[in-house]
Amino acid sequence: MNLNWNSKQITQGDRRAPNRAMMRAVGFEDSDFDKPVVGVASGHSTITPCNAGIRPLEEAACKGISSAGGMPQTFGTITISDGISMGTQGMKLSLVSRDVIADSIETVCRGQLMDGVLAIGGCDKNLPGAMMAIARLDIPGIFVYGGTILPGKYQGRDLNIVSVFEAVGSFQAGTISREELNEIEKHACPSSGSCGGMYTANTMSSAIEALGMSLPNSSQMSAPSPEKKSSAEESGEALVRMIRTNLRPSQIMTRKAFENAIAVVMATGGSTNAVLHLIAIAHDMGITLTLDDFEAISKKVPHLADMRPSGKYLAVDFHRAGGVPLIMKLLLKAGILHGECMTVTGRTVSENLAEVPDAPPAGQDVIRPFSSPVYKRGHLVILRGNLAPGGAVAKTSGVKSPAITGEARVFDSEEECMDAIMSDQIKPGDILVIRYEGPKGGPGMREMLSPTSALIGKGLGDSVGLITDGRFSGGTYGMVVGHVSPEAAVGGPIALVREGDVITIDAYENLLQLHMTEAEMEARRKEWVKPESPVKNGVLYKYAKLVGSAEFGAVTDA
C-alpha cells in the first residue's frame, strides 16, 4: 500500500516538515497524516447541465471518504459541452478535452502523491478522460457519474436535446412551425444531468459500470435524484476500502473486463464513441483492444434495450426497468459475460449480480428478453474496404436497410455539408462524404450530429448515406459511417473521392467500398496534395501533432 503521508514516512526525519506545514493549512491535523490521501477529481462546472449538478456529489463523496478514514483532497478538471459546441468550431475541442482531462488528473495525482482517486464527471469526454487517467495511475480508483438529465415534456411526449436538433431539420422542411420549434427548445432540458438517451455519456457510464470501475446500478441514476448523492457517498467509502486492500485498476480492468464492457454497449445500443474511448482506455491500461474485438462481440450479443436515439426510451426508463445490472445478468446467464472479473466493490461480477433477477420484469418493454431482442446482433458494425482499409464504424440500429449504393456528394467540412442539406441540394440515394474532419485533419474529430439530425428532420434519414473521418454523436442514427481510417489529412482513401463516384455501404458484408480500380486510386493518390493545417499554434496545433488514428483510439501518447 502506498500511503504517501503516513507516519512511517514522516518519522524518517524532519525533511517533510515543510510539506506537512502546507497540508496543515488546508485542514490536516496530526492524526490525518496517518490516513490515505484521496484525490477527488471534480468536473463541476456551470458551462453545461451535464456537470452543473456535480458539486453535491463531490461533497457527498468527500463525506464518504472521511467517514471511512481517508483524507479527501478536491481539485477541478475541465469540461466541454458537446451539446452546446455541436455544429460549431468549438466541437473541435471536444475530443481534445478527453486527453486534457486525462492529463490533468494524472498530473495532480502524481504531483501530489495521491493514494487513490475518485473522479466525478458528467459530459461525454469527462468519462473516458477520467478512466484514462485512472488506468495510467494504477492507484486505487473509482468513477462517479454525474447522472442523466430528466426528460423534457411537450404535448405529451418526452423530449431530450436530440429532439431539438431534429426539430431544426423539421422546421427547415416545413413540417413544424417556428412556434413549435421554440417550444421544443424551451422544454427539452429541464434539469441538470447528461443527455437522456443511450448517447455517449450514458453509454460510457454503462461501460464503466460493466468494467467494474463504478458501483453497481449507479450508471443510469438521474442527476437530481437522492440516490445519486447516496451513491457518491458510498463510492467514497468503497474507494477507501480499495486503498486498504490495495485493490488497483489493473486488477479490475482486465482484458475480460473490457469484453464485458463491449458486450453491455452492444446490448444497450450504445454510442459509436464507445469504440474510440474503450480502445483508448485499454491502451492506457496496457491492453490491446482492436476494432475486430468489437465486431466479434457484436456478432454474439443481441441488442436488448430499446433506447433512444433509435428506440423509444430514455435512461430514466432504463434505470427503472433494471438498468445495467439487469442487462449484465441476462448476458451472464447466457454465458456471454465473464462473471469472475473483479470490481470496485471487492466482489466479482457474479457476486454483485447474485440478487438481480434472471429475466426482465413483466409489464415493460424497455429491456427485452433474449427470446425477443430489439435486434439479433449488436448494432455496431465494423466496415472495411478500399475506402477504409484501417476500418470504420457503422451504427445500424433504427436503419431500415443497412446497405446502400449511391453517388458521392463530397464536402471538405461539416459546414459545407450542412449548407447543402439545409438548401435542399441532397436527394435520396446520395452518399454524403464529409472529410478533413478526422483527429489530425479537423483537428479534433468533430461529431456530425447537426447534419445527421437535419437529414432526419428533412425525411432523408433512411434514404441517404453519410461517411466521415470524423465522429458521430451518441444521438445520431441512420445509415452513417464514422471513424473512417486512415483519415483524409494523412492521405487516406477518403481524400481521393470525387463528386459522383459510386460508393457502397454494406453492413451485411462489413464493406465500405469505392467503386474504382486500384490503378485509378493510385493515379489520384499521386495527384493529391496534403492541405495546409488550419491551425498554427495552441492546443489544437499540439493535438494535431500528437494524435494518432481513430482505429487506435485517437490517443496522443502512442
Side-chain angles (χ1 to χ4, degrees):
M1 186 161 52
N2 177 32
L3 298 181
N4 296 299
W5 293 104
N6 67 25
S7 58
K8 289 183 180 179
Q9 290 179 320
I10 293 167
T11 55
Q12 292 174 355
D14 294 328
R15 288 174 297 163
R16 291 197 182 272
N19 309 94
R20 295 197 303 273
M22 293 289 288
M23 297 178 82
R24 290 182 193 280
V26 295
F28 276 70
E29 298 178 356
D30 287 347
S31 61
D32 295 326
F33 293 106
D34 292 326
K35 299 174 182 177
V37 179
V38 182
V40 177
S42 173
H44 173 77
S45 169
T46 57
I47 287 173
T48 172
C50 309
N51 293 48
I54 284 178
R55 185 71 78 209
L57 306 183
E58 173 191 321
E59 294 167 352
C62 289
K63 180 181 177 183
I65 291 166
S66 296
S67 66
M71 197 63 183
Q73 297 286 278
T74 61
F75 62 94
T77 187
I78 68 158
T79 191
I80 295 292
S81 173
D82 285 21
I84 295 173
S85 65
M86 193 73 68
T88 74
Q89 292 293 304
M91 175 49 71
K92 291 185 176 184
L93 279 300
S94 169
L95 187 59
V96 176
S97 76
R98 181 193 73 176
D99 293 72
V100 174
I101 291 165
D103 292 349
S104 68
I105 294 174
E106 179 190 5
T107 299
V108 173
C109 288
R110 289 197 194 282
Q112 296 298 120
L113 307 175
M114 299 296 185
D115 296 305
V117 59
L118 182 149
I120 314 173
C123 202
D124 294 4
K125 306 313 172 295
N126 297 184
L127 291 83
M131 291 307 302
M132 289 163 70
I134 290 171
R136 294 175 193 173
L137 291 162
D138 200 27
I139 57 176
I142 194 167
F143 183 77
V144 174
Y145 181 40
T148 185
I149 198 169
L150 294 172
K153 299 285 185 181
Y154 178 64
Q155 293 185 342
R157 71 181 192 269
D158 286 346
L159 299 178
N160 61 91
I161 186 59
V162 177
S163 306
V164 186
F165 281 96
E166 293 177 1
V168 171
S170 297
F171 171 67
Q172 289 290 332
T175 57
I176 66 171
S177 66
R178 179 173 293 279
E179 290 72 24
E180 185 171 352
L181 172 60
N182 290 341
E183 290 302 311
I184 291 171
E185 175 201 321
K186 290 176 182 177
H187 291 86
C189 298
S191 75
S192 64
S194 300
C195 300
M198 193 50 72
Y199 309 145
T200 299
N202 285 325
T203 296
M204 290 310 300
S205 67
S206 300
I208 292 167
E209 182 177 330
L211 267 174
M213 289 301 297
S214 62
L215 292 185
N217 203 35
S218 64
S219 63
Q220 302 296 307
M221 295 173 177
S222 70
S225 67
E227 66 175 348
K228 185 75 259 184
K229 189 174 179 180
S230 297
S231 178
E233 183 174 346
E234 292 166 9
S235 297
E237 296 168 355
L239 178 56
V240 176
R241 290 194 297 271
M242 293 173 69
I243 295 171
R244 299 293 185 196
T245 60
N246 198 25
L247 178 56
R248 292 171 291 109
S250 56
Q251 298 166 275
I252 298 171
M253 287 195 282
T254 61
R255 168 83 190 190
K256 288 183 177 180
F258 278 100
E259 291 176 358
N260 285 349
I262 295 170
V264 167
V265 169
M266 296 300 174
T268 55
S271 166
T272 54
N273 283 309
V275 178
L276 195 76
H277 298 326
L278 287 173
I279 290 174
I281 298 166
H283 163 79
D284 282 329
M285 199 71 259
I287 295 169
T288 300
L289 208 60
T290 70
L291 294 179
D292 293 335
D293 293 319
F294 286 82
E295 179 63 22
I297 294 171
S298 177
K299 287 179 177 177
K300 64 181 182 182
V301 178
H303 182 166
L304 299 174
D306 190 13
M307 301 282 290
R308 294 189 188 180
S310 58
K312 292 186 289 186
Y313 297 104
L314 294 170
V316 290
D317 306 307
F318 179 56
H319 184 61
R320 281 194 293 266
V324 170
L326 179 55
I327 289 289
M328 291 181 71
K329 187 62 174 285
L330 297 176
L331 295 174
L332 181 67
K333 186 180 176 185
I336 293 171
L337 221 60
H338 302 292
E340 71 275 21
C341 290
M342 182 52 63
T343 73
V344 292
T345 65
R347 300 186 297 273
T348 66
V349 167
S350 292
E351 290 169 337
N352 286 342
L353 299 176
E355 303 301 318
V356 176
D358 288 345
Q364 61 82 44
D365 62 348
V366 185
I367 300 175
R368 305 281 188 86
F370 263 69
S371 57
S372 59
V374 181
Y375 301 103
K376 292 182 179 180
R377 65 155 284 170
H379 63 301
L380 300 183
V381 180
I382 304 304
L383 308 182
R384 296 185 189 273
N386 67 357
L387 200 45
V393 183
K395 184 177 181 181
T396 60
S397 52
V399 176
K400 290 182 179 178
S401 177
I404 182 173
T405 296
E407 292 187 359
R409 302 295 311 280
V410 182
F411 307 96
D412 287 347
S413 71
E414 177 187 4
E415 286 83 359
E416 289 181 16
C417 182
M418 192 66 179
D419 289 345
I421 295 169
M422 300 307 279
S423 59
D424 296 321
Q425 297 177 40
I426 306 303
K427 64 181 187 300
D430 285 345
I431 307 286
L432 311 187
V433 178
I434 307 178
R435 62 191 181 190
Y436 297 106
E437 290 285 7
K440 286 184 178 294
M445 203 180 181
R446 285 194 289 182
E447 292 180 346
M448 304 294 152
L449 180 60
S450 292
T452 57
S453 296
L455 287 171
I456 290 165
K458 284 182 171 289
L460 296 169
D462 292 316
S463 60
V464 169
L466 192 156
I467 70 171
T468 180
D469 52 8
R471 298 182 294 126
F472 291 111
S473 162
T476 293
Y477 67 99
M479 195 62 250
V480 297
V481 181
H483 308 196
V484 173
S485 300
E487 62 174 291
V490 299
I494 191 172
L496 310 179
V497 181
R498 295 177 182 172
E499 193 84 5
D501 287 347
V502 177
I503 293 173
T504 291
I505 305 169
D506 190 340
Y508 296 118
E509 300 296 332
N510 299 91
L511 183 67
L512 183 60
Q513 190 77 5
L514 178 63
H515 290 256
M516 181 176 296
T517 67
E518 181 55 38
E520 291 174 301
M521 291 185 71
E522 184 59 31
R524 290 189 185 181
R525 193 172 287 115
K526 290 177 179 177
E527 295 174 3
W528 178 75
V529 177
K530 181 180 177 66
E532 187 176 350
S533 174
V535 293
K536 304 302 180 186
N537 58 12
V539 66
L540 282 174
Y541 178 82
K542 290 187 286 186
Y543 185 82
K545 290 287 187 183
L546 293 172
V547 70
S549 175
E551 66 179 295
F552 303 118
V555 297
T556 55
D557 62 347

